[in-house]
């Protein structure tokens, strides 16, 4: 009997902890915008993120950059990641999500908002992110033709002092193929929070549309906070 009471008390305590954690996440999410930055290789995700950081001071977390940092560390894990990235495929979500989760936790507290660049790349990634880290307020999808994306990456590679190892034509074509296979399912699942932006235009014209969308999210968040 005593044992059962003890077990019930433990269960209640665990449930309360879970509720408190959910509340904490909900409060954090209500304060700080989380924005997913979607689009194929070379569509301009990084370029637009740099401009958003300049204007809004958000924290920019690029899944590709986090993975490249791991590769640069020279670890065994890094070598395995490099092999997948060089093939133009997707790294396992466990790896990507834990890198993102750690980076979000490191930046939390001081951050004004999160730009999650290059994630989700398939729909189960989106579901896992929202369960583990928090709900995304907005997804910006930069829509661009394959031809333009290929040309942009080749131009970036030609101008770079240090070329990315996946910026060669064979790997770029594989990256484009991976992107094509997964993207419509993501856009369908998150249609209610996705804004598609024509990314075939000038960087500043694209950015104007980005700013309108972010301002709208910030206004909504401010209204929610005012009602708390
Ligand atoms: P990642 O690093 O994310 O690469 P990507 O998606 O292929 O995109 P890029 O970084 O090459 O291009 P971008 O869209 O940022 O364009 P940018 O602004 O640089 O991912 C690399 C790999 O990591 C993946 O293939 C995968 O293996 C792995 N990975 C990453 N995330 C993952 C995930 N979630 N799950 C599993 N695996 C994952 O612009 C490109 C060039 O165009 C620049 O030179 C720029 O100056 C120029 N440019 C930009 N905008 C314009 C414009 N409007 N007009 C003219 N030029 C422009
Ligand atoms: Mg990028």
């Amino acid at each position: 009997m005593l044992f059962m009471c003890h077990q019930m008390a433990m269960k209640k305590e665990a449930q309360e902890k879970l509720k408190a954690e959910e509340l904490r996440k909900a409060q954090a999410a209500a304060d700080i915008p989380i924005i997913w930055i979607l689009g194929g290789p070379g569509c301009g995700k990084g370029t637009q993120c740099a401009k958003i950081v300049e204007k809004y001071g958000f924290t920019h977390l690029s899944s590709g950059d986090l993975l490249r940092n791991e590769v640069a560390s020279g670890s065994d894990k890094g070598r395995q990641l490099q092999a997948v990235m060089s093939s133009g495929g997707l790294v396992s979500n466990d790896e990507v999500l834990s890198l993102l989760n750690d980076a979000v936790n490191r930046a939390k507290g001081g951050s004004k908002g999160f730009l999650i660049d290059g994630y989700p790349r398939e729909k189960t990634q989106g579901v896992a992110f929202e369960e583990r880290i928090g709900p995304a307020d907005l997804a910006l999808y930069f829509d661009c033709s394959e031809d333009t994306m290929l040309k942009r990456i080749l131009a970036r590679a030609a101008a770079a002092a240090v070329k990315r190892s996946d910026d060669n034509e064979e790997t770029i074509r594989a990256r484009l193929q991976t992107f094509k296979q997964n993207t419509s399912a993501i856009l369908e699942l998150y249609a209610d929070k996705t804004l598609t932006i024509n990314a075939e235009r000038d960087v500043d014209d694209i950015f104007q549309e980005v700013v309108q969308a972010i301002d709208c999210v910030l206004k909504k968040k401010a209204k929610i906070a005012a009602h708390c």
Side-chain angles (χ1 to χ4, degrees):
M1 186 64 184
L2 198 63
F3 177 68
M4 271 176 69
C5 283
H6 179 64
Q7 273 205 323
M8 279 167 72
M10 296 256 291
K11 199 173 162 193
K12 198 168 167 228
E13 194 184 331
Q15 281 170 341
E16 275 165 7
K17 264 193 189 158
L18 197 66
K19 267 192 199 153
E21 178 65 9
E22 278 167 4
L23 187 65
R24 187 195 59 74
K25 276 193 178 172
Q27 280 169 339
D31 293 335
I32 301 174
I34 297 180
I35 302 174
W36 288 342
I37 307 293
L38 314 178
C43 70
K45 300 183 294 294
T47 303
Q48 291 298 323
C49 282
K51 291 181 75 69
I52 299 170
V53 169
E54 201 183 359
K55 182 169 171 66
Y56 297 95
F58 290 171
T59 308
H60 175 206
L61 300 176
S62 151
S63 51
D65 286 347
L66 291 169
L67 290 164
R68 280 184 287 277
N69 290 344
E70 190 64 45
V71 170
S73 75
S75 65
D76 282 348
K77 194 189 351 171
R79 271 186 286 280
Q80 288 162 15
L81 297 175
Q82 172 77 79
V84 180
M85 291 162 83
S86 298
S87 75
L90 294 182
V91 165
S92 88
N93 190 38
D94 281 351
E95 299 288 357
V96 186
L97 190 57
S98 72
L99 286 171
L100 277 174
N101 192 40
D102 291 350
V104 166
N105 285 332
R106 276 196 302 272
K108 241 185 216 163
S111 181
K112 295 179 178 172
F114 288 103
L115 299 173
I116 311 293
D117 165 359
Y119 191 103
R121 267 178 150 92
E122 45 115 356
K123 66 179 185 182
T124 58
Q125 289 196 352
V127 175
F129 181 100
E130 292 199 315
E131 274 174 13
R132 187 156 166 197
I133 297 177
D137 297 283
L138 173 69
L140 294 174
Y141 169 58
F142 295 110
D143 190 20
C144 205
S145 70
E146 287 195 17
D147 195 35
T148 301
M149 293 194 277
L150 178 67
K151 282 186 187 143
R152 283 184 187 171
I153 298 182
L154 290 175
R156 177 178 70 189
V162 183
K163 194 174 127 178
R164 259 170 62 172
S165 65
D166 58 350
D167 276 0
N168 59 78
E169 188 157 347
E170 192 189 345
T171 310
I172 298 166
R173 290 200 185 279
R175 284 155 66 192
L176 287 166
Q177 188 57 30
T178 303
F179 163 72
K180 225 163 56 178
Q181 271 165 11
N182 297 305
T183 300
S184 53
I186 299 173
L187 297 179
E188 214 172 283
L189 183 61
Y190 296 107
D192 59 335
K193 59 172 116 186
T194 302
L195 175 70
T196 297
I197 295 181
N198 172 6
E200 295 268 350
R201 297 170 295 155
D202 183 77
V203 170
D204 290 328
D205 292 341
I206 299 168
F207 188 60
Q208 272 187 19
E209 228 178 301
V210 167
V211 166
Q212 281 174 7
I214 294 179
D215 284 350
C216 189
V217 167
L218 292 176
K219 270 187 203 145
K220 270 191 207 156
K221 290 233 166 234
K223 266 190 201 160
I224 294 170
H227 284 98
C228 283

